[in-house]
Amino acid sequence: SLGPVSVMAGRARTHPPHHPAWTSNPTLSICRSVLLADGMFQNSQELSIGVFLVIVTQVCCLSVPSALYVCFCRTLSGDHVTHLENVSEEEMNRLLGIVLDVEYLYTCVHKEEDADTKQVYFSLFKLLRKCILQMGKPVVEAQESPPFEKPSIDQGVNNFVQYKFSHLPSKERQTIVELAKMFLNQINYWQLETPSQRRQRAPADDAAGYKINYTRWLCYCNVPQFCDSLPRYETTQIFGRTLLRSVFTVMRKQLLEQARQEKDKLPPEKRTLILTHFPKFLSMLEEEVYSQSSPIWSEDFLAGSSVGQIPIHTDICPLTSSVCAGGEKRRPPEPLAHEETKKPRIVGDIPMELINEVMATITDPASMLGPETNLLSAHSARDEAARLEERRGVIEFHVIGNSLNQKPNKRILMWLVGLQNVFSHQLPRMPKEYITRLVFDPKHKTLSLIKDGRVIGGICFRMFPSQGFTEIVFCAVTSNEQVKGYGTHLMNHLKEYHIKHDILNFLTYADEYAIGYFKKQGFSKDIKVPKAKYVGYIKDYEGATLMGCELNPSIPYTEFSVIIKKQKEIIKKLIERKQAQIRKVYPGLSCFKEGVRQIPIESIPGIRETGWKPVGKGKELKDPDQLYSTLKTILQHVKSHQNAWPFMEPVKKTEAPGYYQVIRFPMDLKTMSERLKSRYYTTRKLFMADMQRIFTNCREYNPPESEYYKCANLLEKFFYTKIKETGLIEKIN
């Protein structure tokens, strides 16, 4: 028989060569029958090759006395090792590394108690053992290969930062980027709970789907951290929203708990970031993770293009450093290349490169229509002051309600009483008993506005998810806190709350005092919800107007005014750039000195270069009889106008001395009637030119303060109104 074989105990990867611990460690006898019985190798040939590689590993890495190696080789058949004679040193090192991984996985299989994890370890063990025998490279056999979902967690968090925080100044935005990096790093090294543990914690969840993702995570992310021979991927690069949903709630709770426990150990510069900003970042991200309509998980999201997104790359920080057979630490794998998901280009779109270039010039808040200190200027958005107060923690927004299933919190009850008082005071027409009943009705909820711990406003509503709408019942802000943008910011928060709950329509009955407010918030009398959906569900109010609002899930309503303001500034900068390109001084027009009274606009030098296009042109009537009839009607209306009397007949020389020396081309309504009767006006342009000449001649001969001058202006306006009514022109300039 082969007899006992002496090999050194332990693993080469956990100790560098010639480590003192190895010299004092006794040898371990591994019998051939034991190795076969344990299933590490299936026959004598596999055993011989495997043990040979283990022995070589120990000899190369640990300087085992050569006598032991020679003694062992005498018992081996030369046929077992002849195929290794021509193998390169690099290939031998690779095979030795796989041997170490096989040995470690073999230990893991025996120590692991969880059945699902044990099965994965054993499958990888067999895969690596096969690679040793065939001298191949390990490839995990699976129906799908990474990435498993698009967009990835990394891309989704990128999109989230762009979606929610792109409006912030560069310094604040960089803080958010740091939080995103921190979060992604935590996911990459997060230990997933086993499927059996998850079944006990959340039996209603998709157990089969989680088990698939858990198996993939073990094979591609977790095991490769300690098995160098397996290719390693980052969790955030190959998994998407599905995996994130399965771990987010537990992960968020543990991260915040750990931060609170270790707050005293944190450096001062990190303490505020982790204890103050990180919880709010996680709360906002949680809403997007579990919302069915969040745009950040769409492959068409604009931030998905490499041009428009804020790059967030996590640094690889292994939990433990691994030493391979060659003595080198593992090198982090290259991040998976993203497939760029760009929106289809529309003709007329401005390139993102140009937008980013312009954005770089307006990052200073002072350039965005004035500094933030000037909140109540004419250029400020209605909710700007409220938004800044919320950011500083001065005000808070909470959706609260009464409950019959559990004992309500004392603070919530106090807020509900405060809301009842605000609504009763601000809505005197409503009976107090009715307000109290609805505010404390468990079927109703109220978005409350809290300032300094007390309620100063709110919106009471009832959701009808099956009907696809929500009824807004009461909406009020206490009188001494009005005109600060709180009402607009309240409504914007309510819109985002409903988008997260997949309800995209509001209905409300507004009295005469509230119609203006609701119009400013996007409500109109044009109801988008089918009548059959809401009749019998909402309460009718006498003397009130039913108004509705349809929500767009792609709009971040609480930041919408900031985005619009930035868009206006971008357009302003783009116009300035265009003007700088086309700005050119042309010589003045000399034709008017030669007696020309009018010229076409398009003949002005440089007008077309500015992008001007003719407007106000109407249809030309091709039927002569129809044109005659239309022009006759217009002329009759003009002649009947109260200001037409100065222009009814040609000007007499006796009444206006020197008139014909000043006016070279006289015209009057009588002459136009004769021309119309003789079918002179074959086009509308001839008719309009003669009529315009009447007004131009009058203004040229008479002073502006004269009665004739005023009559010409009034009659001209009336004439063009009639022309437009008949469709001969489309727009009055």
Side-chain angles (χ1 to χ4, degrees):
S1 78
L2 183 61
V5 179
S6 297
V7 296
M8 298 299 292
R11 286 177 51 78
R13 83 171 55 251
T14 55
H15 294 281
H18 309 293
H19 193 281
W22 289 96
T23 58
S24 61
N25 203 352
T27 60
L28 175 68
S29 296
I30 300 180
C31 182
R32 173 184 190 180
S33 59
V34 174
L35 291 171
L36 288 172
D38 279 352
M40 186 169 181
F41 297 98
Q42 296 178 353
N43 52 54
S44 298
Q45 183 180 4
E46 289 187 19
L47 173 64
S48 301
I49 296 174
V51 175
F52 168 77
L53 288 173
V54 174
I55 292 296
V56 173
T57 304
Q58 307 301 332
V59 172
C60 292
C61 297
L62 307 176
S63 298
V64 176
S66 58
L68 174 64
Y69 173 60
V70 173
C71 178
F72 172 73
C73 286
R74 288 175 183 170
T75 65
L76 284 175
S77 169
D79 294 338
H80 293 160
V81 294
T82 52
H83 66 289
L84 297 174
E85 292 178 356
N86 298 321
V87 173
S88 66
E89 183 179 352
E90 182 182 356
E91 179 66 9
M92 182 65 77
N93 286 335
R94 187 184 71 83
L95 291 172
L96 292 175
I98 298 178
V99 170
L100 293 177
D101 291 338
V102 167
E103 181 187 353
Y104 191 72
L105 282 172
Y106 178 72
T107 305
C108 292
V109 170
H110 283 272
K111 289 184 177 181
E112 184 58 52
E113 296 179 357
D114 178 70
D116 296 312
T117 309
K118 190 183 189 82
Q119 184 180 4
V120 175
Y121 284 161
F122 189 67
S123 299
L124 294 175
F125 161 76
K126 290 193 294 184
L127 169 67
L128 294 183
R129 188 189 64 187
K130 182 179 178 181
C131 290
I132 295 174
L133 298 175
Q134 298 179 354
M135 300 178 65
K137 294 184 178 180
V139 177
V140 179
E141 295 180 1
Q143 292 182 348
E144 290 185 63
S145 58
F148 302 112
E149 190 174 358
K150 294 180 181 179
S152 65
I153 297 174
D154 180 83
Q155 185 64 61
V157 173
N158 256 300
N159 292 349
F160 167 71
V161 173
Q162 181 79 345
Y163 176 53
K164 287 288 188 181
F165 306 103
S166 61
H167 66 281
L168 295 179
S170 57
K171 186 176 180 180
E172 294 181 30
R173 190 166 64 246
Q174 186 57 38
T175 300
I176 299 299
V177 171
E178 291 301 320
L179 293 174
K181 287 181 181 180
M182 186 190 310
F183 175 72
L184 292 174
N185 233 14
Q186 291 290 341
I187 296 178
N188 283 331
Y189 294 99
W190 192 258
Q191 293 295 312
L192 267 62
E193 57 186 341
T194 64
S196 58
Q197 291 173 334
R198 184 173 177 81
R199 280 194 297 271
Q200 294 175 1
R201 183 179 62 81
D205 286 355
D206 180 14
Y210 180 79
K211 184 176 179 180
I212 291 173
N213 275 337
Y214 178 75
T215 302
R216 290 168 171 170
W217 172 77
L218 279 176
C219 292
Y220 293 101
C221 304
N222 181 256
V223 174
Q225 285 186 8
F226 52 80
C227 288
D228 295 338
S229 51
L230 290 170
R232 184 190 172 202
Y233 297 84
E234 295 301 321
T235 305
T236 55
Q237 297 283 350
I238 64 174
F239 291 100
R241 186 184 193 182
T242 304
L243 181 73
L244 186 58
R245 278 182 166 181
S246 65
V247 303
F248 192 93
T249 304
V250 175
M251 181 179 174
R252 175 176 177 269
K253 183 178 179 181
Q254 292 184 16
L255 285 176
L256 296 180
E257 182 64 29
Q258 183 181 358
R260 283 191 290 269
Q261 291 176 357
E262 301 180 359
K263 60 181 179 180
D264 296 332
K265 301 178 184 178
L266 296 172
E269 65 274 9
K270 289 287 186 181
R271 193 171 300 162
T272 304
L273 183 70
I274 294 177
L275 297 180
T276 305
H277 300 301
F278 198 41
K280 187 171 183 181
F281 174 87
L282 291 177
S283 297
M284 295 178 68
L285 179 58
E286 184 176 28
E287 294 174 353
E288 301 302 323
V289 169
Y290 292 105
S291 170
Q292 296 294 334
S293 56
S294 174
I296 70 171
W297 302 105
S298 169
E299 290 193 54
D300 294 331
F301 187 78
L302 182 61
S305 67
S306 59
V307 175
Q309 80 181 94
I310 301 173
I312 303 173
H313 299 298
T314 56
D315 297 326
I316 307 300
C317 302
L319 301 179
T320 57
S321 60
S322 301
V323 182
C324 67
E328 296 180 358
K329 290 185 178 180
R330 178 196 310 279
R331 293 178 181 175
E334 293 295 325
L336 293 180
H338 288 295
E339 291 185 12
E340 293 186 0
T341 53
K342 295 184 179 180
K343 294 178 72 174
R345 189 72 190 276
I346 301 173
V347 177
D349 271 359
I350 300 172
M352 278 303 300
E353 294 88 344
L354 180 57
I355 295 293
N356 289 334
E357 188 179 336
V358 172
M359 287 273 288
T361 67
I362 55 173
T363 52
D364 180 14
S367 68
M368 295 295 293
L369 301 180
E372 287 189 344
T373 53
N374 192 15
L375 293 176
L376 300 180
S377 69
H379 299 295
S380 296
R382 284 190 296 271
D383 61 337
E384 188 164 354
R387 188 189 313 105
L388 291 175
E389 285 189 10
E390 183 187 11
R391 190 180 302 170
R392 294 195 300 267
V394 177
I395 59 174
E396 299 175 357
F397 295 87
H398 300 276
V399 176
I400 60 175
N402 201 1
S403 174
L404 297 178
N405 301 325
Q406 56 187 7
K407 187 177 180 180
N409 182 285
K410 182 179 179 181
R411 185 177 64 167
I412 291 178
L413 281 178
M414 293 297 295
W415 284 350
L416 289 173
V417 172
L419 286 164
Q420 187 265 351
N421 290 333
V422 170
F423 291 144
S424 299
H425 188 265
Q426 297 300 128
L427 306 171
R429 293 186 180 183
M430 290 286 178
K432 289 186 178 180
E433 296 81 4
Y434 177 69
I435 292 175
T436 305
R437 179 161 61 85
L438 293 192
V439 169
F440 285 90
D441 178 14
K443 295 179 181 178
H444 287 71
K445 296 180 181 179
T446 305
L447 174 63
S448 54
L449 170 58
I450 312 298
K451 186 174 184 179
D452 299 327
R454 61 184 179 86
V455 175
I456 63 169
I459 301 177
C460 183
F461 60 94
R462 180 174 178 180
M463 303 169 76
F464 295 93
S466 62
Q467 305 305 110
F469 75 92
T470 280
E471 177 192 12
I472 294 178
V473 186
F474 307 125
C475 176
V477 175
T478 186
S479 55
N480 61 335
E481 296 287 358
Q482 291 180 2
V483 201
K484 295 182 180 180
Y486 291 152
T488 297
H489 207 43
L490 258 173
M491 186 62 71
N492 287 337
H493 268 286
L494 188 69
K495 290 175 180 178
E496 291 204 345
Y497 177 82
H498 279 78
I499 287 173
K500 289 158 191 166
H501 288 77
D502 300 317
I503 297 179
L504 302 180
N505 283 283
F506 287 157
L507 291 178
T508 188
Y509 273 97
D511 62 23
E512 55 183 324
Y513 302 106
I515 289 177
Y517 164 78
F518 282 109
K519 280 185 176 180
K520 291 176 182 177
Q521 308 310 318
F523 286 72
S524 71
K525 298 176 184 178
D526 181 18
I527 309 300
K528 301 295 184 182
V529 181
K531 195 170 184 179
K533 288 280 187 181
Y534 64 83
V535 170
Y537 285 88
I538 65 174
K539 296 169 282 293
D540 294 329
Y541 296 91
E542 292 184 3
T545 303
L546 181 64
M547 303 184 74
C549 177
E550 186 176 19
L551 307 182
N552 187 331
S554 299
I555 295 177
Y557 284 97
T558 54
E559 302 295 339
F560 190 52
S561 59
V562 177
I563 295 171
I564 293 297
K565 190 164 69 171
K566 183 164 282 192
Q567 288 177 346
K568 288 181 178 178
E569 192 67 19
I570 291 171
I571 293 173
K572 178 182 172 183
K573 294 285 185 181
L574 289 171
I575 292 174
E576 290 176 0
R577 286 186 170 217
K578 185 68 175 177
Q579 288 176 339
Q581 293 173 2
I582 63 172
R583 191 168 288 138
K584 184 179 178 181
V585 178
Y586 290 87
L589 298 172
S590 58
C591 56
F592 297 106
K593 294 180 180 179
E594 300 168 1
V596 176
R597 300 297 179 188
Q598 282 183 304
I599 62 171
I601 294 178
E602 55 265 31
S603 66
I604 299 174
I607 192 72
R608 291 192 179 275
E609 287 78 355
T610 64
W612 177 89
K613 294 180 180 179
V615 293
K617 292 189 175 182
K619 60 182 180 180
E620 189 70 72
L621 299 177
K622 296 182 179 180
D623 184 357
D625 293 332
Q626 186 181 358
L627 177 64
Y628 173 80
S629 176
T630 302
L631 298 180
K632 183 179 179 182
T633 302
I634 294 172
L635 188 58
Q636 287 175 348
H637 280 105
V638 171
K639 292 169 71 175
S640 302
H641 195 270
Q642 59 183 357
N643 293 303
W645 61 269
F647 318 109
M648 297 297 292
E649 294 183 352
V651 176
K652 297 178 180 178
K653 294 181 180 180
T654 55
E655 295 176 355
Y659 179 85
Y660 290 99
Q661 280 74 35
V662 176
I663 304 301
R664 297 177 57 191
F665 304 102
M667 184 55 59
D668 59 276
L669 294 177
K670 182 179 179 182
T671 304
M672 288 189 65
S673 298
E674 294 171 351
R675 286 189 170 189
L676 179 64
K677 194 174 182 178
S678 64
R679 302 291 180 121
Y680 168 82
Y681 299 120
T682 56
T683 67
R684 63 180 174 86
K685 289 185 178 181
L686 288 172
F687 179 80
M688 293 173 67
D690 276 356
M691 185 69 73
Q692 185 63 51
R693 185 173 291 148
I694 293 176
F695 309 133
T696 304
N697 290 346
C698 178
R699 285 191 286 259
E700 188 169 346
Y701 182 79
N702 299 286
E705 63 275 8
S706 67
E707 187 177 3
Y708 300 108
Y709 197 104
K710 294 175 182 178
C711 285
N713 288 343
L714 293 171
L715 189 62
E716 181 184 37
K717 184 176 181 180
F718 173 79
F719 167 68
Y720 278 104
T721 301
K722 289 298 177 182
I723 285 286
K724 185 175 182 294
E725 288 176 0
T726 59
L728 291 182
I729 64 172
E730 295 175 351
K731 185 176 180 182
I732 301 176
N733 292 322

